[in-house]
Amino acid sequence: MDYEFIEIEKDLIPYRFEIELAEQMYTFEVHYNSEFDYFTVDLELDGEVLVYGEKIVYGIPLFYDVQDDRFPKVPVVPYDESENSTAVTWDTLGVSVFLYVIEEEDEDDA
């Protein structure tokens, strides 16, 4: 399996960026709730909002509970490779916790 991660620019929040996931271009909009120390993501495809305020929860793939062909075909999972952090907070996101895109290897690459 190949692993890439989505870099979140905390100093720019709230902000939007485009990202290609499984050959489809999406728009993410990232927000931060400072009162309760968590992040959310809005997801758009071709200008249509698919999700507002998806909370980024450690170890849980984003949009995991949605069965809809418009959503990314690859898991995006908040994870700390060092396993020192178990929460997505202002202090951990982009420091030890990253949003990993988990792509299946092509059989040609194996």
Side-chain angles (χ1 to χ4, degrees):
M1 290 210 190
D2 291 332
Y3 299 95
E4 298 177 27
F5 67 88
I6 301 170
E7 184 145 357
I8 301 298
E9 302 281 344
K10 292 188 293 189
D11 295 338
L12 300 177
I13 292 173
Y15 80 107
R16 300 164 60 89
F17 62 92
E18 290 193 345
I19 183 165
E20 186 175 330
L21 297 170
E23 300 179 7
Q24 184 75 274
M25 192 61 73
Y26 292 91
T27 301
F28 275 46
E29 184 168 316
V30 182
H31 296 268
Y32 176 67
N33 181 315
S34 59
E35 186 175 350
F36 296 102
D37 195 16
Y38 68 85
F39 295 87
T40 62
V41 173
D42 299 343
L43 179 69
E44 292 181 20
L45 175 64
D46 298 328
E48 177 186 4
V49 178
L50 302 180
V51 172
Y52 279 115
E54 173 87 2
K55 186 175 179 182
I56 301 175
V57 179
Y58 185 83
I60 305 294
L62 290 175
F63 325 116
Y64 77 97
D65 55 348
V66 180
Q67 301 298 320
D68 186 319
D69 289 342
R70 298 171 298 172
F71 284 76
K73 308 273 188 286
V74 292
V76 178
V77 183
Y79 185 68
D80 175 1
E81 282 193 311
S82 70
E83 298 183 349
N84 291 327
S85 300
T86 57
V88 181
T89 66
W90 185 267
D91 291 337
T92 63
L93 186 64
V95 177
S96 59
V97 176
F98 297 92
L99 296 181
Y100 285 91
V101 178
I102 303 169
E103 298 193 25
E104 297 290 329
E105 283 186 2
D106 292 334
E107 292 187 19
D108 295 343
D109 295 345

